[in-house]
Amino acid sequence: MNKTYMQRAIELAKLCLLSDDVPVGAVVVKGGEIIGEGYNKRELLNDPTAHAEIIAIKAAAERLGSWHLDDCELYVTLEPCPMCAGAIINSRIKTVVFGAYEAKSGSCSAESVVNLFSLGYNHKPEVYGGICENETANLITEFFKNKRT
Amino acid sequence: MNKTYMQRAIELAKLCLLSDDVPVGAVVVKGGEIIGEGYNKRELLNDPTAHAEIIAIKAAAERLGSWHLDDCELYVTLEPCPMCAGAIINSRIKTVVFGAYEAKSGSCSAESVVNLFSLGYNHKPEVYGGICENETANLITEFFKNKRT
């Protein structure tokens, strides 16, 4: 694990603020190189599937010309939702590193709704949660604080 | 529920055979009209997220100009995987009608890996499984039988 990639994911998350999207950023890394990046564009594109992780995974698969992301790591600023955890399982990503925990929709830890990676699917990535937790959680809390004021 | 829409999903599933993709088709219906269609293009596009449901949901959201698919029904020939079940939750689809059960990756019934719609997420669609079950299950079993021979 290398926190430099989480810093890049945080930079990407800040781009969400331009479209009033919940700030979440993600990068896919293979062999020390970033091969896919994404940030949440749900509001920008009116697309319920346009989460940071989905966009980064699609970009990485396009770059590799393969849907198998076996030796790849995903860094994301917020605990993935079930859709994104499912995309991680489907693409066989080896390692998931996430920032802030997400109690309402998080699907990758026992502390949240469910840990999909602990169930009987045919792929179980390694997962590290709470990385750069203060900085990544602040992105979300500041966003919703500003929405209320 | 109207089995005519499942018949259209079955027609779409058959298009997957042109690219040797696992045959799964899906349609999104609102007010009696099909507003989004999709079929599995994982191999065709080398995209791990290009499942029938994701493509149909994106198409419906684009058509409506909104990521809220509140009053919509999704018809799909195979029980959704966790990624697609998560996309259904994220898009607030009201009703899910699926054909064949899928023991290995299915995520919408107690008979499969998990029923994500029974957990603590902020949206719980109604779900009807096993609709046109023989016809939809045959699509999958015939596909894998032909792969082996």
Side-chain angles (χ1 to χ4, degrees):
Chain A
M1 189 207 312
N2 182 331
K3 289 185 182 175
T4 307
Y5 301 122
M6 188 63 85
Q7 289 303 319
R8 176 60 186 153
I10 291 168
E11 275 181 19
L12 289 162
K14 291 176 182 170
L15 298 175
C16 298
L17 302 175
L18 298 170
S19 53
D20 210 28
D21 268 294
V22 178
V24 184
V27 298
V28 175
V29 176
K30 182 174 184 175
E33 188 189 0
I34 292 176
I35 61 166
E37 293 190 335
Y39 56 95
N40 180 28
K41 293 182 181 173
R42 184 180 67 171
E43 302 295 339
L44 180 67
L45 302 179
N46 273 319
D47 179 351
T49 75
H51 283 194
E53 301 95 313
I54 298 288
I55 294 169
I57 286 170
K58 285 171 75 87
E62 188 173 351
R63 169 82 173 271
L64 295 181
S66 170
W67 61 263
H68 292 270
L69 304 182
D70 304 64
D71 295 320
C72 297
E73 302 167 300
L74 177 83
Y75 288 75
V76 56
T77 56
L78 188 67
E79 183 179 357
C81 78
M83 175 180 73
C84 295
I88 289 163
I89 292 169
N90 291 349
S91 60
R92 317 281 196 267
I93 284 175
K94 187 179 176 187
T95 307
V96 176
V97 181
F98 71 80
Y101 288 87
E102 217 297 82
K104 287 187 203 162
S105 68
S107 302
C108 306
S109 70
E111 290 77 17
S112 305
V113 181
V114 67
N115 182 359
L116 284 179
F117 304 149
S118 72
L119 303 182
Y121 298 111
N122 66 351
H123 178 65
K124 293 183 203 296
E126 290 180 315
V127 60
Y128 302 93
I131 309 304
C132 305
E133 190 170 9
N134 284 345
E135 201 177 350
T136 52
N138 277 345
L139 281 170
I140 301 292
T141 50
E142 285 295 313
F143 175 78
F144 285 107
K145 199 169 83 179
N146 288 334
K147 291 281 267 187
R148 283 193 301 271
T149 55
Chain B
M1 190 205 318
N2 182 332
K3 289 185 183 178
T4 307
Y5 301 122
M6 188 62 85
Q7 289 301 319
R8 176 62 187 151
I10 291 168
E11 275 181 18
L12 289 163
K14 291 175 181 170
L15 298 175
C16 297
L17 302 174
L18 299 170
S19 53
D20 210 26
D21 268 294
V22 177
V24 183
V27 298
V28 175
V29 176
K30 182 174 184 175
E33 186 190 1
I34 291 176
I35 61 165
E37 294 190 334
Y39 55 95
N40 180 29
K41 295 181 179 174
R42 185 181 66 169
E43 302 295 339
L44 179 67
L45 302 179
N46 274 317
D47 179 350
T49 74
H51 283 194
E53 302 93 314
I54 298 288
I55 294 169
I57 287 171
K58 284 170 76 85
E62 189 174 348
R63 168 81 173 272
L64 295 180
S66 169
W67 60 263
H68 292 270
L69 304 183
D70 304 64
D71 295 320
C72 296
E73 301 167 302
L74 177 83
Y75 288 75
V76 56
T77 56
L78 188 67
E79 183 180 357
C81 78
M83 174 179 74
C84 295
I88 289 162
I89 292 169
N90 290 350
S91 60
R92 315 284 194 269
I93 284 174
K94 188 179 176 187
T95 307
V96 176
V97 182
F98 70 83
Y101 287 87
E102 216 297 84
K104 287 186 203 161
S105 67
S107 302
C108 305
S109 72
E111 291 77 16
S112 306
V113 182
V114 68
N115 182 357
L116 285 179
F117 304 149
S118 72
L119 303 183
Y121 299 111
N122 66 351
H123 177 66
K124 293 183 203 299
E126 291 180 315
V127 59
Y128 302 94
I131 309 307
C132 305
E133 190 170 8
N134 284 345
E135 199 176 353
T136 53
N138 278 344
L139 282 169
I140 301 293
T141 51
E142 286 294 314
F143 175 78
F144 285 108
K145 198 169 84 178
N146 288 334
K147 293 280 267 186
R148 284 193 301 271
T149 56

